[in-house]
Amino acid sequence: MQIGDVVRVSLGRRDVLGYVVSTPREEALPDRELKPVLERLEVPRAFDETALHLAKFVADRYICTLGEALNAAILAGAVPQIRETLHRASEAPDPEQFKSVPARLIELVWRDLPAEVPMSQLLRHPEARRAGDRSTLLRAVQQLVRGGALRRTREFIRPRTREYRIRMLSPGRATASGKKARALSEFVAERGNLPRSEAILAGFSQAVIRRAVTLGVLIEEEVAVQRSSDTVTRLPTFEPSAEQRVALERIDSALDKGVYDELLLHGVTGSGKTLVYIHAIARVLAAGARAIVLVPEISLTPQTAGRFESAFGNRVAVLHSALSERERFDAWQACIAGDIDVVVGARSAIFAPLENVRLVVVDESHEASYKQDTVPRYHAVAVARERMRGVHGVLVLGSATPSVESYAAARAGRIGLLEMHRRA
């Protein structure tokens, strides 16, 4: 077994799923006997050593459990789902024996439902919901199980791995009616076809896209993304300005040192910070390493993602909230397989399972959206700093209006300061 493996273990009377977070113990503890791992599930690893290190950092710094911190580094699609099924006894129980169980629930299970019914189906059934809320129903089912009237079985549904696929939109034959539908139709027609996620990033809602597909205005299909086995870089044709060249030389120098370095790229709006990012990433890729670019969710538009995809081709993975869980999982697996060189995404992209990451760029690093405000709470800039410290990499914070903390650190000489005052 290795770090991140998903395993089945015994917890009381139940079998539950767990994650391997350390090497196995060779000897039992002196005061207790260790239980064996029942099974290692044949599913992709839920996380790697880097993600575990970052999760421990988040748990320690932001005061949460390691399990809560790992939720930021694990995709739901990588974790097997648990399917519970209820099997009823041949005869209905005596309501007097189960006085705390709603009679309506007993009648529903033994009269209207099949002999075997998924737990989720029972909890969603309208008649069951009239008998009580979710907590009441779960307690009632537990009492029926203890009394022998019901038997409950659990099955682990393993995630299905496959090649990286995305949902693509292309023009259909029907004519759009309505202002939003026409705008969406024209947006897709201009590009011939495009990923559904890009249409969402461009501002079209799921409902508008779904209706357009239903009416035949657009055609939606899943296509496999063929990743190139070689890294091909196509830098923008225009040359960097004098200020951009100075910034690039400083970043190159930091990369060559082989020690952790942090730089604040303070450039006015329009000074060409993205060009600096692209050239710096090209330098990293040429050395056989990889890079991560963090962008505020609101700034992650098709145009932003397109600039990196134009430079580095299909070895770029763009991660954002518009992707389906399946698409995110597939992109994650492409990172693990080594098919990705550059990850561009919102704050959670800092946990991407890329190997040999030597450069992390945080664009608009002052943005509040880099702070996760639900458990596990964390600041993506702090996690990026910890990730680069661990591998002696370089962290570049780009901003036209840097935070007080980063600007003060740069002015005091604790981090490097790169300034670009002129619009490119």
Side-chain angles (χ1 to χ4, degrees), residues 50 53-54 260 357 383-393:
T50 298
H53 171 77
L54 296 179
Y260 172 73
V357 175
V383 179
R385 185 176 292 121
E386 179 65 19
R387 180 163 188 167
M388 287 298 92
R389 277 177 177 160
V391 297
H392 307 296

Side-chain angles (χ1 to χ4, degrees), residues 227-293:
R227 298 288 183 187
S228 171
S229 58
D230 298 323
T231 302
V232 179
T233 301
R234 302 179 184 86
L235 294 177
T237 55
F238 45 89
E239 289 294 321
S241 66
E243 288 183 326
Q244 289 170 331
R245 281 196 296 272
V246 170
L248 284 169
E249 288 171 0
R250 177 64 177 84
I251 295 173
D252 285 349
S253 174
L255 290 168
D256 289 335
K257 290 178 182 177
V259 297
Y260 172 73
D261 204 350
E262 183 174 341
L263 306 171
L264 172 62
L265 179 57
H266 181 201
V268 300
T269 302
S271 59
K273 294 187 290 294
T274 302
L275 182 69
V276 173
Y277 304 155
I278 290 174
H279 277 268
I281 293 170
R283 164 77 166 76
V284 169
L285 301 190
R290 293 184 170 95
I292 295 174
V293 181

Side-chain angles (χ1 to χ4, degrees), residues 9 71 116 152 220 332:
V9 296
N71 286 334
E116 298 181 2
R152 180 164 58 185
E220 183 177 36
W332 220 248

